[in-house]
């Protein structure tokens, strides 16, 4: 039987720190965005199975423009991210997952795992307005499962010029994924959005530094399916 902190029922996937997700009440989960966030999909399934509750998610507005996709996203409690809508979900007692790096991080981060958040602070303001804790999250080897060609100059130019996320993604490699949840960052009334955003970014970076070997390596991540050794700080 799976323990509360290491769930390995899905071959190749583990989650550490599930006890940090509240059984009830709101929290904002902030995570690093892989080229394909398959780790986040696994996480959402684990929350439903282990906690018996759904986790709402914020997705890029481009997904809502895909024909027939909007209804599917609504069924899975996905919202396109206006701050008021995020605050409403949290004030209604829901969990909410968001990646500040979004599409930019998905396409242009690489096997060295840089966080591409820029000066985004909206997620921090949402947490402040909702008075909820923030739980940082990172998945080891998520860049080895799928990789993006966004580092090629042409695809970067397309995105910056036309906001067209056309960079090809390749992979589907059956690597070992380990999701790590950090300690919740509590609401503090005297902390502003800029300070909170910096604190959260440092917390996610700390998870990367502690659990991810840099640069990531696809072969190593594949071999980790067959033994339990992983980076420790």
């Amino acid at each position: 039987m799976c323990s509360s902190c290491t769930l390995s029922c899905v071959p190749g996937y583990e989650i550490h720190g599930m006890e940090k997700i509240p059984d009830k009440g709101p929290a904002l989960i902030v995570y690093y965005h892989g080229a394909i966030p398959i780790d986040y999909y696994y996480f959402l399934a684990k929350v439903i199975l282990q906690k018996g509750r759904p986790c709402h998610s914020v997705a890029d507005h481009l997904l809502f423009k895909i024909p027939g996709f909007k209804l599917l996203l609504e069924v899975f409690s996905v919202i396109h991210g206006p701050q008021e809508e995020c605050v409403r979900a949290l004030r209604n007692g829901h969990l909410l997952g968001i990646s500040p790096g979004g599409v930019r991080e998905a396409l242009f981060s690489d096997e060295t795992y840089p966080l591409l958040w820029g000066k985004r602070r909206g997620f921090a303001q949402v947490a402040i307005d909702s008075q909820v804790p923030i739980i940082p999250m990172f998945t080891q080897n998520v860049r080895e499962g799928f990789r993006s060609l966004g580092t090629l100059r042409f695809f970067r130019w397309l995105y910056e010029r036309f906001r067209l996320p056309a960079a090809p993604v390749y992979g589907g490699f059956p690597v070992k994924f380990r999701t790590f949840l950090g300690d919740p960052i509590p609401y503090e009334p005297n902390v502003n959005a800029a300070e909170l955003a910096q604190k959260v970014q440092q917390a996610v970076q700390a998870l990367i530094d502690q659990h991810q070997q840099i640069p990531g390596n696809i072969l190593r991540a594949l071999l980790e399916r067959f033994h339990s050794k992983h980076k420790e700080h």
Side-chain angles (χ1 to χ4, degrees), residues 157-170:
W157 175 82
L158 275 180
Y159 183 78
E160 300 295 354
R161 181 68 177 84
F162 302 106
R163 285 296 182 267
L164 184 63
V169 173
Y170 67 95

Side-chain angles (χ1 to χ4, degrees), residues 1-9 50:
M1 181 178 292
C2 294
S3 69
S4 62
C5 63
T6 303
L7 305 174
S8 55
C9 295
Q50 299 298 318

